[in-house]
Amino acid sequence: MEIGARVKSLRKSLGLTQKELADKCGYKSLTTINKIELGINSIPLDTVEKLAHALGVSPSYLMGWKN
């Protein structure tokens, strides 16, 4: 599973909208989250860390390095 699909799946399982996740990560709009979920953006490590924290998982899990 790609990181974008993993982010989307986790976000939905937590009942969060893209806007809510963007807010939790400190982004002003949902555009960044949307692009990540669609696989359009490459994701810097600091963004992976923000997303992992907001979604309650480790960065390693989010990247698909651990189950």
Side-chain angles (χ1 to χ4, degrees):
M1 180 183 293
E2 300 281 331
I3 187 171
R6 197 170 291 108
V7 168
K8 185 175 184 175
S9 175
L10 287 165
R11 176 182 61 77
K12 286 187 168 196
S13 72
L14 294 171
L16 297 172
T17 64
Q18 287 183 338
K19 176 67 172 130
E20 289 168 333
L21 181 55
D23 290 343
K24 287 183 90 159
C25 292
Y27 298 118
K28 294 181 181 179
S29 77
L30 60 85
T31 304
T32 299
I33 303 300
N34 187 29
K35 287 181 177 180
I36 289 169
E37 289 184 1
L38 292 173
I40 295 171
N41 280 2
S42 59
I43 306 170
L45 184 56
D46 66 326
T47 299
V48 172
E49 291 173 345
K50 287 179 191 177
L51 286 168
H53 179 73
L55 294 168
V57 297
S58 70
S60 296
Y61 176 82
L62 198 56
M63 294 298 294
W65 297 336
K66 288 185 179 178
N67 291 333

